[in-house]
Amino acid sequence: SGFLGAGKTTLLRHLLTQSSMKIGLVVNDVAAVNIDAKLVRNDNMQASAGAGGSTAEMADTVELQNGCACCTASDELLDSIDRLLSLSARRGERYDRIIMETSGVAEPKAIRDKFNDAITYQDPIMDLVTLDTLVTVVDTSAFLQEYESRDVIANRPDLGGNEAQGGSGQRRVVDLLVEQVECADIVLLNKSDMVNETELKHLEQVVGAINPLASAYPCTYGKVETELVFGASGQAIVSKLNTEGHHRTYGKVETELVFGASGQAIVSKLNTEGHHRGAVAYARSQQRKRKAEDGASAAAAAAEATNPSAAAAPAATQRQETTAAIRFGIRNFVYSARRPFHVQRLRSVVLAWMPVKKNTAVSHEEVAAANASASTSPMKAVIRSKGFVWLSTSHVTAHYWSHAGNFFEIRDEGDWWDAVPRDDWPQVKAQRAVIESEFEGWCGDRRQEIVFIGASMDEPAIRAQLDECLVTDDELTEYLQKFQCA
């Protein structure tokens, strides 16, 4: 995946000329004429003619036209793969890989969900294929500009916005940009020659913070080692997860919960919750690490006070590391609570926080310094925040908090599991254990659980202002009476 102009087709053409594997292609261009497919076919015909080969030696290509693989043409996606497999069977030649190039505005999570649904409903095609690796191509030179954009997709034909269909055209550019990075096993920072070394390293940090499960590789003209993209089967993580698993598996312990002893991903009804849990696990592991480091620093300070000369060299090294951390270090924390937000107070806080005029966490160092005082909003240093929200207006509905750049929304994410009849829960024991692990007293799984990712964040201010949004004891009593809670 990747926006129009990021370099997806260039990458694809490079892989086809450099790999000796037998490859099938699904190329999704929602225009009436599938230009990307024609480019790939021309490459294959030229290569075949030069080598004296036949059309059977070319990469077989199936086109998805007049529809996006993640929405209007989603059913056609699996049908296209089935056509390739039928062709392979007739020839008696097995594909090593089937590659899909999506449209510029395709949503990778929706495509992954399509495969997960096929597994859930035991589609026979999933006995023959597996979604192995999700690759996102990013235009390194334009990332910051798009991150700070307030545009909706439909107003950006340069990014493929004219391809957007239905309501997807009203989605914010930054929202889709972040999804493409989050929902990837590999992020290729293409056009890396168009930024300087400092900017590139900073972008690598930003991408790593948004998606610590992915591997990021700078490249130019899509030229990367084929093994990086194809890799060893089964090594990719994100492609194997549903959104539930994605959220949980940013931490090692949580990976075991989602995958189980066999290493097979658990596919179930556990949608967005899992995507969020991985970020929570990762953030909490980083918090524990920082506490340990703070303890070690305190011990070192005490030792230095006793014998300053003996500690001089380590202290100098520590100062250097701290400087690097301030310059590139992007940290995270989890805001958690087990009582609902008062809707009006939360609304007031969010309106005061957003929109952020300039995000200092993703801006280059000199730009960030110049704009550090441009806004009093603590969100100016936050790259990404996401998670579950419990509102005082409903005891049944879970809401999802999503923020990136100038985009912010709180959306209905379905019912809390505690509000779902137990007979409708997944029947697999491991899946039920994942659900029950979030339960606490009368709250069930209702909670505030928001991950904040950024650089030099004012964590106390964010926590304090969100704490002010929680219902008071008297308001909680009213809530319990209103919804007849135990």
mmCIF file of all heavy atoms in Angstrom, residues 295-337:
data_model
loop_
_atom_site.group_PDB
_atom_site.id
_atom_site.type_symbol
_atom_site.label_atom_id
_atom_site.label_comp_id
_atom_site.label_asym_id
_atom_site.label_seq_id
_atom_site.Cartn_x
_atom_site.Cartn_y
_atom_site.Cartn_z
ATOM 1 N N GLY A 295 15.646 4.496 38.286
ATOM 2 C CA GLY A 295 16.193 3.949 39.518
ATOM 3 C C GLY A 295 17.699 3.801 39.441
ATOM 4 O O GLY A 295 18.428 4.111 40.380
ATOM 5 N N ALA A 296 18.169 3.340 38.265
ATOM 6 C CA ALA A 296 19.610 3.188 38.072
ATOM 7 C C ALA A 296 20.301 4.542 38.093
ATOM 8 O O ALA A 296 21.392 4.704 38.645
ATOM 9 C CB ALA A 296 19.887 2.468 36.751
ATOM 10 N N SER A 297 19.640 5.552 37.512
ATOM 11 C CA SER A 297 20.211 6.899 37.488
ATOM 12 C C SER A 297 20.316 7.466 38.894
ATOM 13 O O SER A 297 21.288 8.129 39.241
ATOM 14 C CB SER A 297 19.346 7.818 36.623
ATOM 15 O OG SER A 297 19.325 7.369 35.291
ATOM 16 N N ALA A 298 19.299 7.203 39.714
ATOM 17 C CA ALA A 298 19.324 7.685 41.094
ATOM 18 C C ALA A 298 20.467 7.045 41.865
ATOM 19 O O ALA A 298 21.171 7.702 42.636
ATOM 20 C CB ALA A 298 17.984 7.385 41.772
ATOM 21 N N ALA A 299 20.667 5.730 41.633
ATOM 22 C CA ALA A 299 21.761 5.029 42.294
ATOM 23 C C ALA A 299 23.111 5.585 41.856
ATOM 24 O O ALA A 299 24.036 5.765 42.654
ATOM 25 C CB ALA A 299 21.678 3.533 41.996
ATOM 26 N N ALA A 300 23.218 5.891 40.547
ATOM 27 C CA ALA A 300 24.469 6.436 40.013
ATOM 28 C C ALA A 300 24.732 7.823 40.593
ATOM 29 O O ALA A 300 25.872 8.173 40.902
ATOM 30 C CB ALA A 300 24.398 6.517 38.492
ATOM 31 N N ALA A 301 23.669 8.611 40.767
ATOM 32 C CA ALA A 301 23.826 9.947 41.330
ATOM 33 C C ALA A 301 24.310 9.870 42.766
ATOM 34 O O ALA A 301 25.166 10.667 43.193
ATOM 35 C CB ALA A 301 22.503 10.701 41.262
ATOM 36 N N ALA A 302 23.781 8.911 43.517
ATOM 37 C CA ALA A 302 24.218 8.741 44.903
ATOM 38 C C ALA A 302 25.680 8.343 44.966
ATOM 39 O O ALA A 302 26.458 8.825 45.796
ATOM 40 C CB ALA A 302 23.344 7.683 45.593
ATOM 41 N N ALA A 303 26.085 7.444 44.039
ATOM 42 C CA ALA A 303 27.481 7.011 43.994
ATOM 43 C C ALA A 303 28.397 8.170 43.630
ATOM 44 O O ALA A 303 29.488 8.327 44.175
ATOM 45 C CB ALA A 303 27.643 5.873 42.990
ATOM 46 N N GLU A 304 27.943 9.018 42.707
ATOM 47 C CA GLU A 304 28.743 10.159 42.270
ATOM 48 C C GLU A 304 28.914 11.165 43.408
ATOM 49 O O GLU A 304 29.962 11.793 43.554
ATOM 50 C CB GLU A 304 28.091 10.844 41.078
ATOM 51 C CG GLU A 304 28.927 11.976 40.491
ATOM 52 C CD GLU A 304 28.323 12.551 39.228
ATOM 53 O OE1 GLU A 304 27.297 12.016 38.777
ATOM 54 O OE2 GLU A 304 28.881 13.528 38.701
ATOM 55 N N ALA A 305 27.848 11.316 44.214
ATOM 56 C CA ALA A 305 27.952 12.242 45.344
ATOM 57 C C ALA A 305 29.001 11.770 46.333
ATOM 58 O O ALA A 305 29.699 12.569 46.977
ATOM 59 C CB ALA A 305 26.586 12.358 46.034
ATOM 60 N N THR A 306 29.158 10.445 46.460
ATOM 61 C CA THR A 306 30.145 9.873 47.363
ATOM 62 C C THR A 306 31.553 9.954 46.781
ATOM 63 O O THR A 306 32.517 10.262 47.471
ATOM 64 C CB THR A 306 29.807 8.398 47.663
ATOM 65 O OG1 THR A 306 28.467 8.342 48.161
ATOM 66 C CG2 THR A 306 30.762 7.806 48.679
ATOM 67 N N ASN A 307 31.675 9.701 45.484
ATOM 68 C CA ASN A 307 32.984 9.682 44.813
ATOM 69 C C ASN A 307 32.840 10.284 43.423
ATOM 70 O O ASN A 307 32.739 9.561 42.441
ATOM 71 C CB ASN A 307 33.504 8.243 44.743
ATOM 72 C CG ASN A 307 34.926 8.179 44.204
ATOM 73 O OD1 ASN A 307 35.517 9.211 43.873
ATOM 74 N ND2 ASN A 307 35.476 6.979 44.122
ATOM 75 N N PRO A 308 32.815 11.616 43.295
ATOM 76 C CA PRO A 308 32.558 12.278 42.009
ATOM 77 C C PRO A 308 33.543 11.887 40.929
ATOM 78 O O PRO A 308 33.148 11.705 39.780
ATOM 79 C CB PRO A 308 32.674 13.768 42.353
ATOM 80 C CG PRO A 308 32.422 13.844 43.818
ATOM 81 C CD PRO A 308 32.978 12.580 44.387
ATOM 82 N N SER A 309 34.799 11.740 41.237
ATOM 83 C CA SER A 309 35.792 11.450 40.207
ATOM 84 C C SER A 309 35.600 10.084 39.594
ATOM 85 O O SER A 309 35.823 9.874 38.402
ATOM 86 C CB SER A 309 37.211 11.557 40.794
ATOM 87 O OG SER A 309 37.368 10.611 41.852
ATOM 88 N N ALA A 310 35.180 9.116 40.384
ATOM 89 C CA ALA A 310 34.998 7.764 39.881
ATOM 90 C C ALA A 310 33.833 7.687 38.913
ATOM 91 O O ALA A 310 33.805 6.835 38.018
ATOM 92 C CB ALA A 310 34.767 6.793 41.047
ATOM 93 N N ALA A 311 32.852 8.577 39.054
ATOM 94 C CA ALA A 311 31.648 8.516 38.218
ATOM 95 C C ALA A 311 31.692 9.485 37.056
ATOM 96 O O ALA A 311 30.752 9.565 36.282
ATOM 97 C CB ALA A 311 30.411 8.802 39.069
ATOM 98 N N ALA A 312 32.790 10.221 36.896
ATOM 99 C CA ALA A 312 32.834 11.279 35.885
ATOM 100 C C ALA A 312 32.656 10.756 34.476
ATOM 101 O O ALA A 312 31.877 11.291 33.691
ATOM 102 C CB ALA A 312 34.151 12.049 35.996
ATOM 103 N N ALA A 313 33.365 9.704 34.101
ATOM 104 C CA ALA A 313 33.296 9.190 32.724
ATOM 105 C C ALA A 313 31.916 8.650 32.390
ATOM 106 O O ALA A 313 31.333 9.019 31.378
ATOM 107 C CB ALA A 313 34.369 8.120 32.515
ATOM 108 N N PRO A 314 31.327 7.782 33.241
ATOM 109 C CA PRO A 314 29.972 7.309 32.938
ATOM 110 C C PRO A 314 28.967 8.443 32.843
ATOM 111 O O PRO A 314 28.062 8.401 32.027
ATOM 112 C CB PRO A 314 29.655 6.370 34.116
ATOM 113 C CG PRO A 314 30.985 5.924 34.614
ATOM 114 C CD PRO A 314 31.894 7.099 34.418
ATOM 115 N N ALA A 315 29.121 9.471 33.675
ATOM 116 C CA ALA A 315 28.176 10.584 33.644
ATOM 117 C C ALA A 315 28.244 11.312 32.314
ATOM 118 O O ALA A 315 27.221 11.711 31.757
ATOM 119 C CB ALA A 315 28.466 11.543 34.789
ATOM 120 N N ALA A 316 29.459 11.487 31.795
ATOM 121 C CA ALA A 316 29.611 12.142 30.500
ATOM 122 C C ALA A 316 28.935 11.341 29.412
ATOM 123 O O ALA A 316 28.243 11.882 28.537
ATOM 124 C CB ALA A 316 31.094 12.327 30.182
ATOM 125 N N THR A 317 29.128 10.016 29.462
ATOM 126 C CA THR A 317 28.486 9.141 28.477
ATOM 127 C C THR A 317 26.978 9.242 28.585
ATOM 128 O O THR A 317 26.265 9.319 27.583
ATOM 129 C CB THR A 317 28.918 7.671 28.704
ATOM 130 O OG1 THR A 317 30.333 7.604 28.618
ATOM 131 C CG2 THR A 317 28.285 6.758 27.667
ATOM 132 N N GLN A 318 26.484 9.274 29.835
ATOM 133 C CA GLN A 318 25.042 9.343 30.045
ATOM 134 C C GLN A 318 24.475 10.643 29.504
ATOM 135 O O GLN A 318 23.392 10.678 28.940
ATOM 136 C CB GLN A 318 24.738 9.208 31.535
ATOM 137 C CG GLN A 318 23.234 9.122 31.825
ATOM 138 C CD GLN A 318 22.972 8.878 33.284
ATOM 139 O OE1 GLN A 318 23.896 8.685 34.059
ATOM 140 N NE2 GLN A 318 21.716 8.893 33.663
ATOM 141 N N ARG A 319 25.232 11.742 29.660
ATOM 142 C CA ARG A 319 24.754 13.018 29.152
ATOM 143 C C ARG A 319 24.640 12.994 27.633
ATOM 144 O O ARG A 319 23.709 13.535 27.057
ATOM 145 C CB ARG A 319 25.697 14.147 29.598
ATOM 146 C CG ARG A 319 25.463 14.600 31.031
ATOM 147 C CD ARG A 319 26.175 15.923 31.295
ATOM 148 N NE ARG A 319 27.606 15.797 31.201
ATOM 149 C CZ ARG A 319 28.395 15.466 32.227
ATOM 150 N NH1 ARG A 319 27.865 15.207 33.407
ATOM 151 N NH2 ARG A 319 29.697 15.401 32.077
ATOM 152 N N GLN A 320 25.618 12.309 26.980
ATOM 153 C CA GLN A 320 25.570 12.199 25.524
ATOM 154 C C GLN A 320 24.344 11.408 25.085
ATOM 155 O O GLN A 320 23.647 11.761 24.143
ATOM 156 C CB GLN A 320 26.839 11.530 25.006
ATOM 157 C CG GLN A 320 28.085 12.391 25.189
ATOM 158 C CD GLN A 320 29.341 11.636 24.815
ATOM 159 O OE1 GLN A 320 29.303 10.456 24.492
ATOM 160 N NE2 GLN A 320 30.464 12.324 24.858
ATOM 161 N N GLU A 321 24.081 10.314 25.800
ATOM 162 C CA GLU A 321 22.931 9.490 25.456
ATOM 163 C C GLU A 321 21.637 10.267 25.684
ATOM 164 O O GLU A 321 20.684 10.146 24.925
ATOM 165 C CB GLU A 321 22.946 8.213 26.290
ATOM 166 C CG GLU A 321 24.101 7.272 25.921
ATOM 167 C CD GLU A 321 24.195 6.108 26.870
ATOM 168 O OE1 GLU A 321 23.490 6.103 27.883
ATOM 169 O OE2 GLU A 321 24.989 5.198 26.585
ATOM 170 N N THR A 322 21.615 11.076 26.750
ATOM 171 C CA THR A 322 20.422 11.854 27.036
ATOM 172 C C THR A 322 20.174 12.883 25.944
ATOM 173 O O THR A 322 19.044 13.121 25.524
ATOM 174 C CB THR A 322 20.562 12.562 28.398
ATOM 175 O OG1 THR A 322 20.770 11.570 29.395
ATOM 176 C CG2 THR A 322 19.313 13.349 28.733
ATOM 177 N N THR A 323 21.268 13.502 25.449
ATOM 178 C CA THR A 323 21.132 14.463 24.365
ATOM 179 C C THR A 323 20.532 13.805 23.130
ATOM 180 O O THR A 323 19.644 14.359 22.475
ATOM 181 C CB THR A 323 22.504 15.068 24.015
ATOM 182 O OG1 THR A 323 23.020 15.722 25.168
ATOM 183 C CG2 THR A 323 22.376 16.073 22.879
ATOM 184 N N ALA A 324 21.017 12.603 22.808
ATOM 185 C CA ALA A 324 20.473 11.879 21.653
ATOM 186 C C ALA A 324 19.012 11.537 21.865
ATOM 187 O O ALA A 324 18.197 11.614 20.950
ATOM 188 C CB ALA A 324 21.283 10.607 21.412
ATOM 189 N N ALA A 325 18.670 11.193 23.111
ATOM 190 C CA ALA A 325 17.276 10.844 23.403
ATOM 191 C C ALA A 325 16.368 12.052 23.246
ATOM 192 O O ALA A 325 15.253 11.948 22.746
ATOM 193 C CB ALA A 325 17.164 10.277 24.812
ATOM 194 N N ILE A 326 16.862 13.228 23.666
ATOM 195 C CA ILE A 326 16.067 14.446 23.532
ATOM 196 C C ILE A 326 15.868 14.784 22.058
ATOM 197 O O ILE A 326 14.801 15.232 21.637
ATOM 198 C CB ILE A 326 16.754 15.616 24.264
ATOM 199 C CG1 ILE A 326 16.709 15.386 25.770
ATOM 200 C CG2 ILE A 326 16.100 16.949 23.907
ATOM 201 C CD1 ILE A 326 17.501 16.383 26.573
ATOM 202 N N ARG A 327 16.923 14.523 21.266
ATOM 203 C CA ARG A 327 16.859 14.895 19.851
ATOM 204 C C ARG A 327 15.970 13.961 19.056
ATOM 205 O O ARG A 327 15.192 14.386 18.215
ATOM 206 C CB ARG A 327 18.271 14.895 19.271
ATOM 207 C CG ARG A 327 18.337 15.433 17.848
ATOM 208 C CD ARG A 327 19.769 15.566 17.402
ATOM 209 N NE ARG A 327 19.851 16.150 16.078
ATOM 210 C CZ ARG A 327 20.992 16.344 15.422
ATOM 211 N NH1 ARG A 327 22.137 16.008 15.989
ATOM 212 N NH2 ARG A 327 20.989 16.876 14.224
ATOM 213 N N PHE A 328 16.098 12.646 19.299
ATOM 214 C CA PHE A 328 15.339 11.685 18.497
ATOM 215 C C PHE A 328 14.402 10.804 19.322
ATOM 216 O O PHE A 328 13.581 10.095 18.756
ATOM 217 C CB PHE A 328 16.299 10.758 17.733
ATOM 218 C CG PHE A 328 17.123 11.463 16.696
ATOM 219 C CD1 PHE A 328 18.500 11.507 16.801
ATOM 220 C CD2 PHE A 328 16.523 12.091 15.624
ATOM 221 C CE1 PHE A 328 19.263 12.145 15.844
ATOM 222 C CE2 PHE A 328 17.279 12.737 14.660
ATOM 223 C CZ PHE A 328 18.649 12.762 14.772
ATOM 224 N N GLY A 329 14.578 10.821 20.645
ATOM 225 C CA GLY A 329 13.845 9.869 21.479
ATOM 226 C C GLY A 329 12.358 10.128 21.491
ATOM 227 O O GLY A 329 11.892 11.182 21.937
ATOM 228 N N ILE A 330 11.585 9.182 21.024
ATOM 229 C CA ILE A 330 10.129 9.291 20.986
ATOM 230 C C ILE A 330 9.581 8.265 21.956
ATOM 231 O O ILE A 330 9.851 7.078 21.827
ATOM 232 C CB ILE A 330 9.601 9.059 19.562
ATOM 233 C CG1 ILE A 330 10.145 10.162 18.637
ATOM 234 C CG2 ILE A 330 8.086 9.045 19.546
ATOM 235 C CD1 ILE A 330 9.840 9.946 17.185
ATOM 236 N N ARG A 331 8.859 8.727 22.935
ATOM 237 C CA ARG A 331 8.395 7.846 24.005
ATOM 238 C C ARG A 331 6.882 7.712 23.980
ATOM 239 O O ARG A 331 6.208 8.338 23.176
ATOM 240 C CB ARG A 331 8.871 8.390 25.361
ATOM 241 C CG ARG A 331 10.385 8.437 25.471
ATOM 242 C CD ARG A 331 10.826 8.864 26.844
ATOM 243 N NE ARG A 331 12.271 8.797 26.998
ATOM 244 C CZ ARG A 331 12.916 9.077 28.117
ATOM 245 N NH1 ARG A 331 12.231 9.448 29.190
ATOM 246 N NH2 ARG A 331 14.221 8.979 28.176
ATOM 247 N N ASN A 332 6.387 6.908 24.895
ATOM 248 C CA ASN A 332 4.947 6.677 24.943
ATOM 249 C C ASN A 332 4.507 6.389 26.365
ATOM 250 O O ASN A 332 5.331 6.025 27.215
ATOM 251 C CB ASN A 332 4.563 5.528 24.015
ATOM 252 C CG ASN A 332 5.486 4.343 24.175
ATOM 253 O OD1 ASN A 332 5.607 3.779 25.262
ATOM 254 N ND2 ASN A 332 6.164 3.958 23.108
ATOM 255 N N PHE A 333 3.255 6.566 26.625
ATOM 256 C CA PHE A 333 2.693 6.199 27.914
ATOM 257 C C PHE A 333 1.226 5.849 27.716
ATOM 258 O O PHE A 333 0.618 6.187 26.687
ATOM 259 C CB PHE A 333 2.853 7.316 28.953
ATOM 260 C CG PHE A 333 2.000 8.531 28.708
ATOM 261 C CD1 PHE A 333 0.717 8.628 29.258
ATOM 262 C CD2 PHE A 333 2.474 9.590 27.945
ATOM 263 C CE1 PHE A 333 -0.069 9.751 29.043
ATOM 264 C CE2 PHE A 333 1.689 10.714 27.721
ATOM 265 C CZ PHE A 333 0.413 10.789 28.275
ATOM 266 N N VAL A 334 0.652 5.167 28.692
ATOM 267 C CA VAL A 334 -0.748 4.750 28.639
ATOM 268 C C VAL A 334 -1.536 5.494 29.703
ATOM 269 O O VAL A 334 -1.153 5.509 30.875
ATOM 270 C CB VAL A 334 -0.896 3.233 28.866
ATOM 271 C CG1 VAL A 334 -2.372 2.830 28.777
ATOM 272 C CG2 VAL A 334 -0.064 2.447 27.879
ATOM 273 N N TYR A 335 -2.620 6.127 29.295
ATOM 274 C CA TYR A 335 -3.553 6.707 30.255
ATOM 275 C C TYR A 335 -4.641 5.672 30.512
ATOM 276 O O TYR A 335 -5.315 5.211 29.575
ATOM 277 C CB TYR A 335 -4.178 7.996 29.724
ATOM 278 C CG TYR A 335 -5.217 8.557 30.674
ATOM 279 C CD1 TYR A 335 -4.833 9.338 31.756
ATOM 280 C CD2 TYR A 335 -6.571 8.258 30.507
ATOM 281 C CE1 TYR A 335 -5.774 9.832 32.650
ATOM 282 C CE2 TYR A 335 -7.514 8.747 31.398
ATOM 283 C CZ TYR A 335 -7.112 9.524 32.474
ATOM 284 O OH TYR A 335 -8.048 9.985 33.365
ATOM 285 N N SER A 336 -4.828 5.294 31.793
ATOM 286 C CA SER A 336 -5.811 4.269 32.147
ATOM 287 C C SER A 336 -6.696 4.748 33.281
ATOM 288 O O SER A 336 -6.246 5.482 34.167
ATOM 289 C CB SER A 336 -5.107 2.974 32.584
ATOM 290 O OG SER A 336 -4.262 2.492 31.568
ATOM 291 N N ALA A 337 -7.947 4.353 33.257
ATOM 292 C CA ALA A 337 -8.878 4.657 34.342
ATOM 293 C C ALA A 337 -10.052 3.693 34.249
ATOM 294 O O ALA A 337 -10.370 3.185 33.172
ATOM 295 C CB ALA A 337 -9.364 6.099 34.271
#
